[in-house]
Amino acid sequence: MRDREKAFISALKQSGATFGIGDDGVLLDSYVIANDAFFEEVHFKLAWADLESLVEKCFLVNLSDIYAMNAIPRFALLSLCIPACFQEVTRLAQIIGESAKKHQLQIIGGDTLVGEKLHFSLTLLGQERRKTLYRSGIKRGNLLGYISPKGALNHAKAQSFGRNLQTLKTCLRFYANKRIPKFSRFAKPLLYPDMLFSLNQIAKAGMDISDGIFMELSRLSAINRLGFRIFKPKGAWFFSPEEYQMLYAVDSRNLKKMRNFALKFRHQFVPFAVAIRGKYRAKKQNWHR
């Protein structure tokens, strides 16, 4: 079965009605604008976490797109679908407000409606910085790598790159009606804006990893018209979804600099591929079909 998301986006682009599709967000004037949805029974189950944790992940997933393009989050538009049987409307509003203030966001509008499931849709506006980081700009010979916590930093065993694949499988199989491990990256991805702003300055291109590296490479290949030779043995890290860590392309001459900057924030930059002539295609389907 063909990836439905890919098919839809391809058809939409062919209509001639699109602009800027292909990056984590789009730069308009001095703002990077990004939108992401967080839907019950698609991205989460109510039994998996308390409301505070679910709302926080919703914000973090969206903030990741803004940071990925090297912008500073400023404003948010919130569209919210509330189940008719939902009894914690006031509390939900308070939690959303606290999360917005925590991340220094002002909610400037949106929409609310009543439906069968709890759905969030956030559109964030991030202030442009000196450099905007795009998915394009990769050249042959550039190294590709991802970011992962190093040492015992913030439950690094649970937060280290690549563990979400097993966490997701476990959740779907055993956690249909109970809480999932609280400190896993799947439950709560940790973002480090200061580190990302530093690494974004060195990188040639970048994007946040939501569907797994195997899928993200297909997107980078199409945009940059290049292939990739993977020199790190494939494992869970290659297919793990919803990591919300950065996938970077860097000039080989800046590899040491990239590693040193990551270490300052107790993270590591892990090279796994080099850009080559050709084309890369994912051999597995996307998680969202």
Side-chain angles (χ1 to χ4, degrees):
M1 183 185 297
R2 189 182 178 191
D3 187 318
R4 294 171 185 171
E5 179 183 356
K6 183 177 180 180
F8 173 78
I9 293 173
S10 177
L12 189 62
K13 286 181 176 179
Q14 290 176 14
S15 73
T18 66
F19 170 77
I21 291 179
D23 278 288
D24 290 290
V26 61
L27 178 63
L28 294 176
D29 292 330
S30 61
Y31 283 94
V32 169
I33 303 171
N35 172 271
D36 217 337
F38 196 55
F39 283 12
E40 183 183 353
E41 300 298 333
V42 177
H43 303 99
F44 69 91
K45 296 179 183 292
L46 285 176
W48 282 359
D50 54 36
L51 272 179
E52 287 84 357
S53 297
L54 291 175
V55 169
E56 178 69 359
K57 182 173 180 180
C58 176
F59 273 87
L60 291 172
V61 165
N62 282 271
L63 286 163
S64 180
D65 287 334
I66 298 296
Y67 293 138
M69 293 191 70
N70 204 41
I72 301 172
R74 297 296 192 201
F75 304 103
L77 291 161
L78 169 67
S79 291
L80 181 67
C81 178
I82 306 173
C85 60
F86 193 76
Q87 301 295 316
E88 300 181 273
V89 175
T90 301
R91 180 166 167 257
L92 177 60
Q94 292 171 342
I95 293 169
I96 291 174
E98 288 301 317
S99 292
K101 287 192 292 184
K102 175 183 176 181
H103 297 292
Q104 300 181 314
L105 286 165
Q106 289 184 299
I107 298 176
I108 58 174
D111 194 13
T112 57
L113 63 149
V114 176
E116 295 182 0
K117 303 291 183 181
L118 182 61
H119 297 338
F120 303 88
S121 180
L122 273 177
T123 299
L124 298 191
L125 287 77
Q127 184 72 51
E128 177 191 20
R129 300 179 81 240
R130 183 175 299 178
K131 172 186 176 181
T132 300
L133 190 67
Y134 295 98
R135 296 179 181 182
S136 59
I138 303 175
K139 306 296 183 183
R140 278 189 293 165
N142 287 169
L143 296 172
L144 278 80
Y146 58 84
I147 303 298
S148 182
K150 184 174 177 62
L153 174 66
N154 292 316
H155 307 278
K157 185 175 181 180
Q159 286 284 329
S160 60
F161 194 96
R163 291 183 177 269
N164 272 358
L165 180 62
Q166 186 56 49
T167 303
L168 178 59
K169 289 180 178 179
T170 301
C171 288
L172 294 176
R173 186 174 181 183
F174 299 111
Y175 288 83
N177 298 300
K178 61 180 180 178
R179 299 287 172 88
I180 63 176
K182 188 174 181 179
F183 295 110
S184 67
R185 175 164 287 277
F186 181 71
K188 184 181 179 181
L190 300 181
L191 305 180
Y192 299 89
D194 289 342
M195 176 183 71
L196 298 181
F197 290 151
S198 295
L199 298 180
N200 288 349
Q201 296 300 321
I202 307 170
K204 299 279 289 184
M207 64 182 297
D208 81 332
I209 301 168
S210 58
D211 292 324
I213 286 178
F214 79 107
M215 281 297 303
E216 313 302 7
L217 288 181
S218 291
R219 293 168 179 141
L220 293 179
S221 176
I223 292 170
N224 292 279
R225 298 182 179 180
L226 288 169
F228 304 104
R229 178 174 62 81
I230 300 167
F231 50 73
K232 185 177 186 290
K234 292 179 184 178
W237 65 271
F238 190 68
F239 302 102
S240 189
E242 296 195 24
E243 291 288 344
Y244 301 109
Q245 287 279 27
M246 285 295 291
L247 170 56
Y248 283 120
V250 299
D251 190 304
S252 59
R253 293 171 294 184
N254 288 328
L255 175 59
K256 184 177 180 180
K257 187 176 181 181
M258 197 77 171
R259 282 174 163 164
N260 288 340
F261 268 71
L263 284 173
K264 287 183 179 180
F265 295 91
R266 299 177 67 185
H267 278 65
Q268 55 186 336
F269 176 66
V270 184
F272 67 87
V274 62
I276 60 174
R277 181 180 295 162
K279 187 175 183 179
Y280 170 89
R281 290 183 179 177
K283 296 182 180 179
K284 287 191 175 185
Q285 291 179 321
N286 193 354
W287 292 97
H288 307 294
R289 290 181 289 175

